[in-house]
């Protein structure tokens, strides 16, 4: 498995298995078990996905050593101060059944509940401080953020002792977030591409279908190869065994620069939600 290297030297497998909207219980257990069986070594979950218990059980029951798996979870919006963030890290590890996390992210930069009172700058600084302490204590091997736009990132960088190593944002054909990507790259922050298939909205697109046919690949494989070509780390989600397996088969071809440009401006897919304007 190809990998990227984070600023602290940690290797991170170049594709991760996404688990948003996979319900806790048999479905999460079976999907993650199958993903690990066919070669994924990187799993992305979050406190709010509600499936940490089943994800952890699938990891524990797999034939892989804990050290062979890269596991990410994310701190949810209801954690707005140091103590609640710190307690939630321990709770996530307990649910996942692990004694360390590979990567821990702040899930959302500007939750609705803190917008008109403490504000995102103070909330993120407090949560980040708990994450830095967990990092220093060896509970997490890397720390980062998700859905952070330039102003959230710049505010965090003012107080952070450790710079975020990752920003997980929506990146897919037609959703390139150029300004944010450039800022992250300037700070050596790895970009993880969530919803790399546009949460399914890429399927049926005639431009990508024709391109996939030319390469002898599927629409999903073309979208994931686009991510890798850009230096992003895609996190495709699937509960369908054939799709789970096929989404890994992306390391044996390269898209041409011309096709990359066509995908950059593709229309009709879901795009990044504005994190300052949500009701959660
Ligand atoms: N940090 C955040 O705020 C955030 C937000 C969104 C997502 N994420 C992360 O990114 C991951 C992926 O994003 P996503 O869940 O939005 O969706 P996605 O991976 O872009 O797309 C998933 C959809 O595509 C379908 N699919 C997957 N592979 C396919 C294939 N080879 N052929 C045909 N259909 C295929 C899936 O259906 P089947 O399941 O039936 O295959 C599902 O409907 C999430 O699971 C999560 O880990 C993070």
């Amino acid at each position: 498995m190809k990998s990227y290297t984070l600023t602290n030297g940690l290797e991170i497998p170049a594709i991760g298995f996404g688990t948003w909207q996979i319900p806790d219980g048999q479905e999460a257990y079976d999907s993650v078990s199958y993903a690990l069986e066919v070669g994924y070594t990187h799993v992305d979950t979050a406190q709010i996905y509600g499936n940490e218990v089943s994800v952890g059980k699938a990891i524990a029951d797999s034939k892989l050593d804990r050290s062979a798996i890269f596991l990410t979870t994310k701190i949810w919006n209801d954690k707005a101060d140091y103590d609640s963030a710190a307690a939630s890290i321990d709770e996530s590890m307990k649910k996942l059944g692990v004694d360390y996390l590979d990567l821990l992210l702040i899930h959302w930069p500007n939750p609705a509940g803190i917008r008109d009172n403490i504000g995102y700058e103070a909330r993120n600084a407090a949560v980040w401080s708990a994450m830095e302490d967990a990092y220093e204590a060896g509970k997490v091997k890397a720390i980062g953020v998700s859905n952070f736009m330039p102003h959230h990132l710049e505010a965090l960088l003012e107080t952070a002792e450790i710079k975020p190593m990752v920003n997980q944002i929506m990146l897919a054909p037609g959703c390139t977030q150029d300004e944010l990507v450039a800022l992250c790259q300037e700070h050596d922050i790895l970009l993880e591409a969530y919803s790399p298939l546009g949460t399914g909205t890429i399927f049926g697109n005639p431009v990508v279908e024709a391109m996939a046919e030319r390469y002898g690949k599927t629409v999903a494989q073309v979208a994931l190869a686009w991510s890798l070509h850009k230096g992003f780390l895609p996190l495709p989600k699937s509960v369908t065994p054939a799709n789970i397996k096929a989404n890994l088969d992306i390391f044996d071809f390269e898209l041409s620069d011309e096709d990359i440009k066509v995908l950059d401006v593709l229309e009709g897919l879901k795009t990044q939600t504005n994190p300052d304007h949500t009701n959660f």
Side-chain angles (χ1 to χ4, degrees), residues 121-151:
E121 295 93 336
R123 181 264 181 174
N124 291 338
V127 172
W128 189 253
S129 172
M131 292 166 66
E132 288 177 326
D133 286 352
Y135 178 78
E136 299 293 358
K139 290 182 184 178
V140 303
K141 295 193 172 218
I143 50 178
V145 296
S146 180
N147 293 296
F148 272 49
M149 300 295 113
H151 54 292

Side-chain angles (χ1 to χ4, degrees), residues 17-21 44 49 74 107-108 146-147 168 194-200 203 218 220 235-240 243 246-247 270:
F17 183 68
T19 65
W20 178 42
Q21 294 182 312
D44 182 84
Y49 299 171
K74 315 183 191 85
H107 202 148
W108 202 256
S146 180
N147 293 296
Q168 182 183 122
Y194 81 57
S195 305
L197 312 173
T199 317
F203 299 106
T218 66
L235 300 168
K237 167 264 172 189
S238 176
V239 293
T240 310
N243 293 345
N247 291 349
K270 187 187 139 183

Side-chain angles (χ1 to χ4, degrees), residues 28-41:
Y29 180 81
D30 288 348
S31 317
V32 175
S33 298
Y34 187 71
L36 296 174
E37 191 185 315
V38 297
Y40 290 80
T41 53

